[in-house]
Amino acid sequence: MAEKSGSVMVLGAGIAGMQASLDLANSDYNVYLVDKSPTIGGMMARLDKTFPTNDCAM
Amino acid sequence: MNINLITNSEVKTIEGEPGNFDVTLVNHPRYIDPVKCTGCGECARHCPVTAVNEYNLGLDDRRAAYIEYPQAVPLAFAIDTDTCVGCGLCEKMCIAKAISYDDEERETEVKVGSVILSSGSQGFDPSDLDYLGYGKYANVVTSEEFERILSASGPYFGHVMRPLDREEPKRIAWLQCVGSRDVNKTGNGYCSSVCCMYAVKEAMIAKEHIHGDLDCVVFNMDMRTFGKDYEKYYNRARYKDGVQFVKARIHTIIEIPETGDLIVKYADETGAMQEEVFSMVVLSVGLKIPDTSVELANRLGIKLNKYNFTATTPFTPVLTNRPGIYTCGVFQGPKDIPGSVTEASAAACLAGSDIAESRGKDIEKIEVPEEIDVMSQDPRIGVFVCNCGINIGGIVDVPDVQEYASKLPYVVFSDSNLFTCSQDTQDKIKEMIVEHKLNRLVVASCSPKTHEPMFMETLEACGINKYLFEMANIRNQNSWIHSNNPDIATQKAKDLVRMAVARSLTLKSLQEKVVPVNKQALVIGGGIAGMNASMGLANQGFNVFLVEKEAELGGFSRKLHHTIEGDDIRAYVEKLIGEVTANEKVQVLRDARIIGFEGFKGSFATEVAVGSQAEKQKIEHGVIIVATGATEYTPKEFLYGEDDRVVTQVQLTDRLEEKGASDLSSVVMIQCVGSRNEENENCSRICCQSAVKNALHIKKFNPDAQVYVLYRDIRTYGMLEDYYTEARKQGVIFIRFEKDTPPSVESSSEGILVTVEDHILKQNLEIRADLLTLSAGMTATDTDELSGIMKLNRSPEGFFIEAHVKLRPVDMPSEGVFLCGTAHGPKLISETISQAQAAASRAITFLAKDAIKLSAITAKVDTDHCVKCLTCVRSCPFGVPVFNEKEKVIEINEAICHGCGVCAGVCPRQAIQLSFYEDDQILSKIDALMEAV
Amino acid sequence: MRLEYPPNVKIIRVPCTGKVDVMHMLRAIQKGADGVYCVGCLEGTCHYNEGNLRCRERVNHVRMLLEEVGLEGDRARMYNLSSGEGPTFAEYAKEMTAHIKELGPNPLKKMDT
């Protein structure tokens, strides 16, 4: 069997995709984070504040 | 960072197998090269086209050459060719030559070992629901639009206005469950899980923005604030902030044409029609999977459920039907941010497991440039003042503050920025550091809590020690709180900048200690959470010590039978125990108790007493996962323990499994026993589904049995809503009661007599029950001793506290310590499993490294001035300072120093200084502040 | 949370109130501050066990010293709250300011310059 790749592809760069990418990158895997829009961030970037702490979503 | 961002792209096909996938991507043209683009915005400024701004949901305009928002990553513009007229102005204006009109769609091939699907959701579009008047009446908006209306970067710059006439609203109504919990009109039978909470939030924030009178009314069927501490948030909105919550079914919304106000017609709980007038109506739209994600799933052969979320099972929450392809976030099922973040880490854990042997193979190490010795140079300070969009600039006179800063001593460069935190500003700061030979950096912007690490990295990238950095918080501590008084805010900003500059002069280069990481993990608790966390770690090649206080593994799950979906919990637990005990990387310590603990992230040592002989064993490990679990609350209420016909849901399940339900003609269930009360303010999250599960179970065995569920709000979130719908279809009777008028119960020879006030009939109902079942909440396992030994923080309810509710939901405040399962808060088995995998993933981010850098903010002893009075030795809460008998000096080990500074405070000779907070560094700020007095 | 409080309050960051020294508080008063107060975690919840209790002792000490030199001891105060209590922070800032306004300006300020 061929040697396994050391990379992971994450499809969708919202908060979930970004967190998965950060964990994998910090665990020494190479990550391709793909999004169909020109900007990462997904739905969360459109929120003003977030419950239950009312922190800024940005 | 080894993350390659690929924007404007979609996946066409994925071929191959786990470990070796060939992915074909379609890269759509962006027309502006993100590498060349500097984000200066000249293209947008000169673009003559007005297009709808999707980022603000069409509430305002943008250009055809655009960027979604100022903090966008990558910070690069794009051209929207649907509206672009091809005039060529932007191409002429672009100094970076980033624009190319002949950009074309391309296909690229990428080789990867595993794939994570996190394509998310979109808000439900209520345009087709005529009765709500969305699209017809300007002042009816969706909750997504209202988010933008609230936002400082939104179309109205954070001023709450209604779209029709830009008037400040006097009364706002939120209508819940638009596109959720609605099989008839929209076909979306599920609960979107987040709308109750965001409606509460939007109402609170709107009230905060409009300082005068604003009435907020949330029309709902049930308020579903089931997350950790969410009930407290709901209560705050309800009882402190005065947000009103009304149980109602909305009939229609009609606009009053003269005023633009809206008449909301609804049926109240008694069925009577009511009318109320509002200035604005917000539709709390549900989460929906976009068609593009359905197409993607179809292309990849990924199975979806009937609502188009990924088809998963309770015991494999992030697995898709295709091996090597994982799912997380809302694509997996409706959920909030903490749930999405947790599940994302779980998916990362499993995606990594598939390719653990190739870890590190595809990455390049980034070298930090060698540090320049600047301590011998004269101070050269650069000051950057941030506008933070309009957050600061809208109140503080930023040019004036910058001008003031430029004249302060040793300031050789100053600048102001729209967003000092943006990527392009970082590049600019780097250029200026080099050009002006800056050796100290001051940023006047927001909180160091969030942004200090980023600016410190910028310094490091220029070879300047990162501790030569100081921040002035002119936003959170200034513009936000003095927004009514711009002159005073500007003066205070100057004071804060002067203080920061003065302190920066006293800063010193500090070196961070590098410590090796012990690549073994300690997992505390051998229930479903602890075992899954252990497997997650073992599958990536790390040794695990799994400590269980009982004689056998399994925890509370041994008392359970089936999930609501019908999956066999006992069979699952047995299989899991088999896997854990067979895995050579996992060492299980049963009947074990933690008796001693020391160390720090990467290098802990825990002493354990194992077995009946309490044999002592010392374990060295680099990380800790806490999974101590929870149990069912033992009720004091409703005759529990006095009459054996009163049982808990767990006991009822046992009984149903043993004896069935043929002898039961009437069962009453009471919800929220031991939850949502004075003793335990929170919701226990799982009891509503337990009640529905058991009610359906009774109906299955004995369709003629009457089952009554007495509840306050039914909280069957997500896909669980289908079971609630099914229970009602099967004739289970749900009766709501208020917290203040709980049911009363009485023993009799006939059975248990339950009396409850019915809201619909407005009279007391008396129900005879063969069995009264209490939906007892969850209580945390007693961890008094453990939390004392390991210094782990718990909430007043006894659940362990995470580092950050949303952004670090499985990390604990002490670094290298992680948290999962019901020790964190009540949750379902599926949620426990994903959180356990998440904790493993977070732990691996430590274990994957050979060494970690420790903070340089530690105490140092000046042995020449120290008189060895031992006050520090007695005062340190962690026992760090020790007297070295041989050398006759006090020593402080910087690796275990927590940096609190207590020793520095107590030292009578000021012979101890806390780095970065030395006395002259604090006094410099006081002196600079008082200069103006 | 953007809660309003008086602008005459300026914050100096320390890792824990246990790091605040008598000398730091006295320096502020000496240089003309009308008041100085420390805001620590709720008693019993100090991340470093008892830093906030130590701070309270030092504040009491400063109060004593101020009285000894003929100033009002109440120009120095200790407050406690949890990190989630923004509104209480603002409340304390208002309370302290109102209290100091009652006491009037720091007499040392006049002696200076």
Side-chain angles (χ1 to χ4, degrees):
Chain A
M1 205 177 93
E3 195 189 355
K4 283 185 181 176
S5 159
S7 303
V8 179
M9 178 164 288
V10 179
L11 298 180
I15 183 70
M18 291 191 286
Q19 180 65 48
S21 302
L22 285 168
D23 272 18
L24 287 161
N26 283 323
S27 301
D28 284 0
Y29 298 105
N30 183 42
V31 180
Y32 297 97
L33 177 55
V34 180
D35 202 281
K36 63 178 185 300
S37 81
T39 307
I40 67 169
M43 191 185 246
M44 188 171 165
R46 294 186 175 184
L47 303 180
D48 175 41
K49 302 283 162 44
T50 51
F51 61 78
T53 50
N54 292 0
D55 297 331
C56 170
M58 280 291 168
Chain B
M1 199 71 184
N2 36 316
I3 299 176
N4 309 279
L5 291 183
I6 306 175
T7 52
N8 298 72
S9 298
E10 289 176 90
V11 167
K12 190 176 169 194
T13 56
I14 300 179
E15 307 286 343
E17 56 190 29
N20 286 295
F21 286 116
D22 292 304
V23 183
T24 307
L25 291 175
V26 178
N27 312 107
H28 299 294
R30 178 181 185 119
Y31 305 103
I32 297 181
D33 182 346
V35 179
K36 287 185 192 161
C37 176
T38 63
C40 71
E42 279 300 303
C43 51
R45 246 182 306 259
H46 289 87
C47 177
V49 178
T50 305
V52 170
N53 183 2
E54 301 95 343
Y55 176 65
N56 280 336
L57 295 147
L59 292 165
D60 62 358
D61 307 325
R62 61 159 168 78
R63 304 284 120 182
Y66 73 107
I67 190 159
E68 285 198 18
Y69 47 93
Q71 300 97 321
V73 177
L75 191 84
F77 283 67
I79 295 174
D80 157 23
T81 45
D82 288 348
T83 55
C84 171
V85 292
C87 66
L89 264 176
C90 58
E91 194 178 12
K92 285 196 193 79
M93 296 316 299
C94 182
I95 300 158
K97 302 257 173 279
I99 292 167
S100 75
Y101 286 110
D102 46 16
D103 198 0
E104 281 178 347
E105 184 167 298
R106 284 169 296 126
E107 279 191 10
T108 46
E109 303 275 330
V110 182
K111 282 189 186 300
V112 296
S114 36
V115 178
I116 293 174
L117 304 178
S118 49
S119 50
S121 65
Q122 62 186 30
F124 172 80
D125 177 3
S127 302
D128 291 340
L129 300 174
D130 286 342
Y131 70 106
L132 296 173
Y134 178 74
K136 194 162 55 168
Y137 310 136
N139 292 334
V140 178
V141 300
T142 66
S143 46
E144 290 186 290
E145 289 164 344
F146 196 70
E147 289 286 338
R148 300 313 307 147
I149 289 175
L150 286 175
S151 172
S153 62
Y156 309 152
F157 307 104
H159 300 294
V160 181
M161 300 189 286
R162 54 184 208 171
L164 180 70
D165 44 17
R166 309 284 154 101
E167 288 284 324
E168 204 169 78
K170 298 272 176 290
R171 303 193 76 212
I172 308 180
W174 275 261
L175 310 189
Q176 297 307 102
C177 302
V178 175
S180 311
R181 301 182 67 187
D182 172 19
V183 185
N184 295 334
K185 297 196 188 77
T186 64
N188 294 344
Y190 58 89
C191 161
S192 290
S193 304
V194 296
C195 324
C196 283
M197 278 300 282
Y198 75 58
V200 171
K201 172 198 72 180
E202 289 180 353
M204 280 166 86
I205 305 270
K207 272 183 167 276
E208 206 177 287
H209 280 230
I210 298 180
H211 302 296
D213 286 324
L214 173 68
D215 276 346
C216 294
V217 185
V218 179
F219 291 100
N220 65 87
M221 295 193 274
D222 300 280
M223 281 309 290
R224 295 189 164 174
T225 49
F226 53 84
K228 188 177 180 179
D229 288 344
Y230 289 5
E231 189 75 10
K232 292 177 182 166
Y233 189 75
Y234 169 39
N235 286 340
R236 184 174 130 203
R238 192 175 182 180
Y239 299 113
K240 207 155 162 252
D241 296 354
V243 178
Q244 297 171 59
F245 295 87
V246 177
K247 296 271 176 265
R249 283 170 192 279
I250 303 303
H251 185 264
T252 37
I253 297 176
I254 298 164
E255 187 184 61
I256 305 171
E258 296 77 31
T259 58
D261 287 346
L262 301 152
I263 304 170
V264 175
K265 294 190 180 188
Y266 65 94
D268 68 14
E269 256 191 312
T270 65
M273 285 302 290
Q274 305 286 350
E275 283 190 17
E276 278 191 63
V277 178
F278 290 92
S279 354
M280 202 174 165
V281 170
V282 181
L283 305 178
S284 294
V285 293
L287 302 174
K288 188 177 174 288
I289 296 301
D291 294 341
T292 49
S293 300
V294 177
E295 287 156 21
L296 170 75
N298 290 340
R299 277 202 304 280
L300 304 182
I302 301 295
K303 279 193 193 137
L304 304 178
N305 67 23
K306 66 174 169 176
Y307 300 125
N308 289 334
F309 298 98
T310 322
T312 58
T313 77
F315 303 139
T316 57
V318 300
L319 258 55
T320 69
N321 59 302
R322 256 187 96 174
I325 302 186
Y326 303 91
T327 178
C328 64
V330 182
F331 188 50
Q332 193 266 5
K335 63 180 63 69
D336 57 15
I337 293 167
S340 295
V341 170
T342 302
E343 213 168 66
S345 288
C349 173
L350 300 191
S353 304
D354 288 346
I355 52 169
E357 66 260 43
S358 297
R359 179 201 312 281
K361 200 184 88 174
D362 291 0
I363 61 167
E364 287 168 46
K365 292 271 180 214
I366 306 160
E367 297 295 326
V368 177
E370 204 175 318
E371 198 173 300
I372 306 162
D373 174 24
V374 296
M375 289 319 287
S376 53
Q377 304 171 359
D378 279 341
R380 295 180 65 83
I381 302 173
V383 181
F384 292 79
V385 186
C386 183
N387 278 286
C388 193
I390 60 151
N391 274 293
I392 297 169
I395 291 138
V396 171
D397 184 346
V398 169
D400 190 22
V401 174
Q402 187 205 328
E403 165 75 13
Y404 175 79
S406 69
K407 291 180 181 147
L408 290 168
Y410 297 101
V411 173
V412 294
F413 179 79
S414 69
D415 195 7
S416 61
N417 326 94
L418 186 59
F419 289 99
T420 310
C421 61
S422 69
Q423 227 177 0
D424 66 327
T425 310
Q426 297 318 293
D427 296 337
K428 198 170 162 196
I429 292 175
K430 286 179 198 167
E431 276 174 38
M432 292 307 112
I433 288 175
V434 175
E435 193 178 319
H436 297 273
K437 296 193 169 51
L438 304 178
N439 54 24
R440 277 166 176 79
L441 178 63
V442 171
V443 173
S445 58
C446 51
S447 170
K449 272 286 210 199
T450 50
H451 284 77
E452 192 179 63
M454 190 185 95
F455 293 117
M456 283 182 158
E457 256 177 46
T458 301
L459 268 178
E460 264 184 328
C462 300
I464 309 286
N465 188 280
K466 71 179 198 182
Y467 291 95
L468 297 172
F469 173 69
E470 173 66 356
M471 252 174 128
N473 190 343
I474 60 167
R475 190 186 70 178
N476 311 43
Q477 294 180 6
N478 188 29
S479 64
W480 276 0
I481 49 172
H482 310 311
S483 54
N484 294 330
N485 207 331
D487 290 343
I488 285 184
T490 301
Q491 185 50 50
K492 183 168 166 183
K494 288 181 187 173
D495 290 342
L496 295 175
V497 168
R498 183 176 71 247
M499 289 161 74
V501 168
R503 182 175 133 88
S504 88
L505 283 170
T506 64
L507 295 173
K508 294 173 184 161
S509 294
L510 300 173
Q511 300 311 320
E512 296 181 326
K513 191 181 166 79
V514 176
V515 293
V517 175
N518 180 313
K519 299 201 173 219
Q520 306 195 107
L522 175 74
V523 178
I524 307 168
I528 288 183
M531 288 193 285
N532 271 290
S534 301
M535 290 307 291
L537 293 163
N539 288 339
Q540 292 218 36
F542 300 103
N543 285 328
V544 180
F545 293 91
L546 175 58
V547 176
E548 167 58 45
K549 70 173 191 296
E550 303 294 334
E552 50 187 344
L553 294 171
F556 189 68
S557 66
R558 302 187 78 93
K559 294 193 177 151
L560 307 175
H561 295 271
H562 292 92
T563 66
I564 200 166
E565 296 86 356
D567 295 77
D568 187 337
I569 297 168
R570 296 199 169 180
Y572 168 72
V573 172
E574 285 312 318
K575 187 170 153 266
L576 186 58
I577 292 173
E579 281 169 16
V580 167
T581 41
N583 195 308
E584 57 182 21
K585 294 213 165 280
V586 184
Q587 191 183 330
V588 183
L589 306 175
R590 294 178 186 78
D591 219 343
R593 212 161 50 89
I594 287 172
I595 52 170
F597 173 74
E598 61 181 16
F600 45 90
K601 61 178 174 184
S603 174
F604 295 106
T606 300
E607 204 172 354
V608 189
V610 188
S612 50
Q613 304 299 314
E615 223 169 285
K616 282 186 187 169
Q617 186 177 342
K618 198 165 191 176
I619 301 165
E620 291 187 342
H621 52 103
V623 294
I624 301 165
I625 294 180
V626 178
T628 49
T631 56
E632 193 182 37
Y633 164 72
T634 308
K636 297 189 283 286
E637 302 90 336
F638 303 116
L639 302 176
Y640 185 81
E642 291 168 42
D643 188 313
D644 57 16
R645 292 167 297 183
V646 183
V647 297
T648 65
Q649 291 290 358
V650 171
Q651 289 166 329
L652 175 64
T653 313
D654 276 342
R655 194 238 190 236
L656 295 173
E657 294 281 339
E658 275 169 39
K659 291 202 271 185
S662 54
D663 58 329
L664 298 174
S665 66
S666 170
V667 177
V668 173
M669 300 181 179
I670 300 178
Q671 300 304 108
C672 301
V673 176
S675 311
R676 300 181 69 191
N677 58 19
E678 275 67 37
E679 258 174 63
N680 175 20
E681 196 177 344
N682 274 312
C683 165
S684 286
R685 187 176 184 126
I686 61 155
C687 333
C688 281
Q689 67 92 39
S690 304
V692 167
K693 176 171 74 176
N694 282 336
L696 283 169
H697 203 162
I698 294 169
K699 283 286 185 186
K700 188 177 145 202
F701 285 135
N702 181 3
D704 296 332
Q706 290 291 344
V707 184
Y708 303 87
V709 180
L710 314 185
Y711 72 98
R712 288 168 55 194
D713 294 277
I714 288 291
R715 295 181 166 175
T716 45
Y717 56 94
M719 301 301 143
L720 298 171
E721 182 70 8
D722 273 352
Y723 297 95
Y724 176 39
T725 309
E726 180 61 23
R728 279 177 304 168
K729 210 184 280 174
Q730 301 231 357
V732 177
I733 297 161
F734 290 84
I735 303 169
R736 198 174 75 80
F737 67 89
E738 289 288 339
K739 187 186 171 203
D740 304 332
T741 51
S744 58
V745 300
E746 202 183 315
S747 280
S748 89
S749 54
E750 305 290 297
I752 305 280
L753 299 177
V754 183
T755 310
V756 63
E757 190 191 300
D758 186 290
H759 280 265
I760 300 166
L761 303 172
K762 285 277 176 210
Q763 63 184 34
N764 279 342
L765 284 180
E766 189 170 275
I767 311 166
R768 190 201 60 79
D770 299 318
L771 213 53
L772 172 63
T773 308
L774 306 181
S775 288
M778 268 197 173
T779 35
T781 307
D782 179 6
T783 50
D784 272 350
E785 194 188 357
L786 179 76
S787 62
I789 293 172
M790 301 187 96
K791 297 210 181 298
L792 301 172
N793 290 340
R794 294 178 302 166
S795 69
E797 295 83 15
F799 293 104
F800 286 104
I801 297 174
E802 60 273 42
H804 188 286
V805 181
K806 288 174 290 278
L807 304 178
R808 294 173 65 199
V810 298
D811 297 19
M812 289 192 69
S814 312
E815 286 198 84
V817 188
F818 307 92
L819 172 62
C820 62
T822 48
H824 160 268
K827 56 182 61 68
L828 297 169
I829 289 179
S830 53
E831 293 161 344
T832 293
I833 294 170
S834 58
Q835 204 184 17
Q837 291 164 342
S841 176
R842 301 292 303 145
I844 290 165
T845 63
F846 275 80
L847 297 177
K849 295 183 178 68
D850 294 326
I852 39 181
K853 273 187 176 180
L854 299 176
S855 165
I857 302 175
T858 56
K860 291 190 180 53
V861 189
D862 175 356
T863 44
D864 291 343
H865 283 87
C866 172
V867 294
K868 301 153 195 94
C869 66
L870 307 184
T871 311
C872 55
V873 178
R874 288 190 297 272
S875 306
C876 176
F878 309 100
V880 177
V882 286
F883 182 61
N884 182 331
E885 294 281 355
K886 212 168 112 200
E887 305 282 332
K888 302 276 183 242
V889 290
I890 298 287
E891 282 175 348
I892 292 177
N893 179 354
E894 54 186 323
I896 54 176
C897 174
H898 288 236
C900 69
V902 159
C903 55
V906 296
C907 179
R909 294 204 48 160
Q910 277 90 46
I912 303 180
Q913 290 292 343
L914 180 68
S915 301
F916 207 55
Y917 294 98
E918 292 182 18
D919 283 328
D920 66 335
Q921 290 167 348
I922 291 177
L923 292 173
S924 64
K925 286 197 115 170
I926 298 175
D927 292 350
L929 170 62
M930 302 322 297
E931 256 174 43
V933 175
Chain C
M1 276 189 254
R2 314 191 184 201
L3 302 159
E4 204 163 332
Y5 62 79
N8 51 303
V9 174
K10 312 277 192 308
I11 300 170
I12 292 175
R13 182 190 182 202
V14 286
C16 170
T17 48
K19 172 72 187 75
V20 182
D21 211 316
V22 169
M23 173 178 69
H24 304 152
M25 290 183 261
L26 288 181
R27 174 81 78 116
I29 301 281
Q30 179 206 342
K31 292 267 174 166
D34 297 315
V36 57
Y37 68 108
C38 299
V39 187
C41 297
L42 291 171
E43 295 191 353
T45 66
C46 174
H47 182 63
Y48 306 113
N49 293 1
E50 47 184 30
N52 51 356
L53 301 179
R54 290 174 184 285
C55 185
R56 178 173 290 282
E57 279 172 33
R58 286 178 205 147
V59 169
N60 287 337
H61 189 60
V62 168
R63 292 164 70 99
M64 203 185 71
L65 292 173
L66 291 179
E67 295 279 351
E68 268 179 34
V69 299
L71 290 172
E72 300 88 345
D74 220 10
R75 288 190 188 274
R77 279 191 173 184
M78 175 84 200
Y79 288 103
N80 298 86
L81 47 74
S82 83
S83 59
E85 292 181 305
T88 321
F89 182 86
E91 220 170 88
Y92 288 158
K94 287 179 199 160
E95 186 185 305
M96 184 71 186
T97 305
H99 168 69
I100 292 296
K101 280 194 176 147
E102 255 173 55
L103 290 181
N106 177 354
L108 295 181
K109 213 165 14 180
K110 280 180 251 159
M111 290 159 65
D112 228 42
T113 60

